[in-house]
Amino acid sequence: MFRIMFYQPCIPPNTGNAIRLAANTGCELHLIEPLGFQINDTQVKRAGLDYHEMATVTVHPDLDTAWEKLAPQRVYAFSAHATRFHTDVSYQPGDVLLFGPEPTGLPDVVLQDEHITAQIRIPMLPKRRSHNLANSASIAIYEAWRQNEFDGAI
């Protein structure tokens, strides 16, 4: 399936919701430290409900370690500044969908990383900064899964 990656997430409920998303779609969730919370934080657990045991979640100490472990073929970095829409990509199982921290998005050093296949965006109305992190991941994962005919879904 697909791999969701949150680079240095800051808001515990967003990660909890992403755990639930991963459990419900069969995606892996990869978190890049430092996290703005403890993974066993009450807010993470509350947002993830009883889905924690059904999700594959890996915490990596840094981005280089994640790249080494995942050996991704394709990585799509989501940025409000990109010009290409998330629907313009033909997703394949194993793709990494990379999202930045809630207050700032992905830093330039990550957006320019050699592993990044393309920078893409989720459309929104003008003069808006961004979508909620967990909502962005949901929008993107469901588009990728839809393109793959919801493989494995009931």
Side-chain angles (χ1 to χ4, degrees):
M1 190 44 86
F2 305 99
R3 300 181 279 187
I4 304 164
M5 184 180 285
F6 283 0
Y7 179 81
Q8 301 180 352
C10 297
I11 300 175
N14 282 332
T15 297
N17 286 328
I19 290 169
R20 200 165 160 185
L21 174 66
N24 283 321
T25 59
C27 294
E28 298 172 1
L29 176 61
H30 295 270
L31 306 174
I32 309 303
E33 293 182 316
L35 309 180
F37 50 86
Q38 297 296 316
I39 195 65
N40 60 357
D41 185 288
T42 303
Q43 290 179 312
V44 174
K45 290 189 180 294
R46 184 177 307 125
L49 296 174
D50 57 348
Y51 290 88
H52 293 265
E53 300 301 318
M54 293 181 264
T56 301
V57 181
T58 305
V59 179
H60 302 277
D62 53 56
L63 192 55
D64 288 335
T65 302
W67 294 146
E68 186 176 309
K69 180 171 180 173
L70 296 174
Q73 295 292 311
R74 301 178 348 148
V75 179
Y76 294 101
F78 283 75
S79 170
H81 306 291
T83 56
R84 187 175 176 194
F85 289 148
H86 74 293
T87 52
D88 295 335
V89 171
S90 294
Y91 298 97
Q92 300 171 11
D95 286 351
V96 174
L97 283 65
L98 173 62
F99 301 86
E102 293 88 337
T104 60
L106 291 166
D108 287 338
V109 67
V110 174
L111 289 170
Q112 300 308 318
D113 187 287
E114 65 183 12
H115 293 90
I116 304 300
T117 304
Q119 295 179 31
I120 55 179
R121 69 177 296 127
I122 297 169
M124 59 186 154
L125 294 175
K127 299 183 183 178
R128 274 57 171 197
R129 283 181 315 181
S130 64
H131 293 281
N132 168 281
L133 179 59
N135 290 347
S136 294
S138 295
I139 291 166
I141 287 300
Y142 270 88
E143 172 60 18
W145 200 19
R146 181 196 66 79
Q147 288 182 15
N148 286 264
E149 301 178 359
F150 296 109
D151 186 35
I154 56 169

